[in-house]
Amino acid sequence: MTAEHPNEQRTDAAAAALPATMTAWVQRRYGDASSVHRAQVPVPTPGPGEALLRVHATALHAGDVHIMHGEPLLVRAFFGLRRPRRATRGMDVAGTVVAVGAGVRGLAPGDEVVGELPGGGLAEYTVAPAARVVRRPEVVAAGVAAAVPVSAGTAWQALDLAGPAAGPDKRVLIIGASGGVGTYTVQLAALRGAEVWAICGARNERLVADLGAARTLDYARVDVATQSRELPPASFDTVIDIVGTAPLRTLRRLVAPGGSVVLVSGEGGRVLGPVGRMLRAGVLSLTPGPRIRPLAATPKTEITAELLRLVASGALRPVIERTFPLADAGAALAHVDARHTVGKVVVLP
């Protein structure tokens, strides 16, 4: 090997120092958190276009839980029909590159990165598509950075989908403002100059106000479905629904002409989940009135990088409710599965 391939030299040296096995939380069948157990498994090897990361932090979110349960059943068409194709949960990962596969450019062992992966974060090491990770700013701790990609990226894309109707001098209603996506949506909408109204639990109203909401509403007191007097018709330029239970026609009535409703998630049947609601939204949008726009968020590294810059500058604050050690990753999954998380849950080594 010559000095013309420094990345290759460093990769080989790092790989030689790796242990043969590692601790990982694996799942051999769909189910609740009890279907996930700790095991010793081989340390993976990065393939072409991949990087091997030593995991420093993994943030969990609703998507991890949906895959864990294999529900709605539609997800099994993408993640494994009889059991999860990738046995280890955890999509949002911050870690150190320890080896790279063939064809990887711009990454080398020692680089600190963050990304949204197909899974694998609840382990000591994981393989990441190199195109899915970005460099972590030095001033942003790994546990904080891991809380960014999926939830903050979804919030960013929801506001982009709303367009100018969620921009300066516009009024935005966020339903479900205290969860992982919600806490970011409040902050990012306020940063874009919108007047933010937020619906959340009473115990979280102070937090959500501190994040930038001009007005907070207790969901136990203000029922969107009944059109309460606190939510007059046509009083918002954008409604961003993160909870997914309010009637679509009711959400539409809250929006002024020219505005839109953005659906970030939705309830539904065990087979199709929110797909039915999204189809109904498409049909309803064909009639006169505000558009209803279902969001299908996708990994976008350029957005993740910009979000990390905002975190580094102090303009954006990830809300982390709890951290768990990797040894208690099963309890972390159970906590997220209970659906009362405020902000994010992060698992650390």
Side-chain angles (χ1 to χ4, degrees):
M1 185 176 299
T2 69
E4 294 177 357
H5 299 87
N7 271 18
E8 226 174 291
Q9 287 179 320
R10 293 176 67 188
T11 297
D12 288 349
L18 290 173
T21 64
M22 65 177 185
T23 298
W25 286 79
V26 299
Q27 183 181 17
R28 304 302 183 193
R29 61 177 176 85
Y30 287 114
D32 60 17
S34 66
S35 68
V36 182
H37 65 278
R38 186 167 56 175
Q40 286 295 122
V41 301
V43 172
T45 300
E50 295 179 333
L52 178 65
L53 309 183
R54 179 182 293 111
V55 177
H56 296 314
T58 300
L60 300 175
H61 56 86
D64 294 300
V65 169
H66 283 302
I67 297 170
M68 179 177 73
H69 283 281
E71 292 183 358
L73 296 180
L74 181 64
V75 306
R76 302 190 185 195
F78 303 96
F79 295 98
L81 293 177
R82 305 184 69 176
R83 63 183 182 182
R85 191 174 294 116
R86 189 152 188 172
T88 300
R89 306 279 62 76
M91 301 180 190
D92 280 353
V93 176
T96 303
V97 177
V98 295
V100 296
V104 173
R105 299 289 181 267
L107 285 181
D111 290 343
E112 299 293 337
V113 297
V114 185
E116 177 182 342
L117 314 186
L122 294 180
E124 293 179 290
Y125 296 88
T126 191
V127 166
R132 289 275 199 101
V133 301
V134 299
R135 294 183 185 276
R136 171 169 64 88
E138 288 186 11
V139 297
V140 181
V144 174
V148 170
V150 171
S151 294
T154 299
W156 183 290
Q157 291 178 58
L159 292 166
D160 279 355
L161 192 57
D169 303 318
K170 301 298 184 180
R171 181 179 290 171
V172 176
L173 175 66
I174 300 169
I175 304 172
S178 62
V181 175
T183 51
Y184 284 119
T185 308
V186 169
Q187 294 180 77
L188 292 171
L191 285 173
R192 295 185 184 203
E195 176 190 327
V196 179
W197 288 36
I199 298 178
C200 59
R203 69 187 178 101
N204 299 320
E205 286 189 78
R206 177 63 183 271
L207 166 67
V208 172
D210 288 344
L211 295 176
R215 185 169 178 185
T216 61
L217 303 166
D218 175 10
Y219 73 82
R221 185 176 57 85
V222 176
D223 185 355
V224 176
T226 61
Q227 300 183 59
S228 64
R229 62 185 180 183
E230 288 92 344
L231 299 173
S235 55
F236 299 97
D237 298 288
T238 296
V239 172
I240 297 179
D241 181 17
I242 303 170
V243 176
T245 57
L248 295 175
R249 292 183 184 277
T250 300
L251 294 177
R252 209 178 186 207
R253 281 194 288 266
L254 293 173
V255 178
S260 63
V261 176
V262 176
L263 305 179
V264 174
S265 66
E267 296 297 321
R270 184 168 180 262
V271 177
L272 297 179
V275 172
R277 190 171 191 252
M278 292 179 177
L279 292 174
R280 291 195 300 275
V283 172
L284 191 57
S285 286
L286 296 176
T287 64
R291 289 281 305 276
I292 303 179
R293 303 172 183 269
L295 173 67
T298 57
K300 296 186 178 182
T301 52
E302 67 276 15
I303 292 177
T304 301
E306 180 59 30
L307 288 164
L308 288 169
R309 283 191 285 269
L310 289 173
V311 174
S313 72
L316 184 67
R317 173 164 67 95
V319 175
I320 299 174
E321 180 192 66
R322 290 186 63 179
T323 61
F324 290 80
L326 181 60
D328 291 334
L333 284 165
H335 182 76
V336 176
D337 196 12
R339 301 189 179 188
H340 296 298
T341 303
V342 179
K344 301 292 296 181
V345 166
V346 175
V347 177
L348 303 173

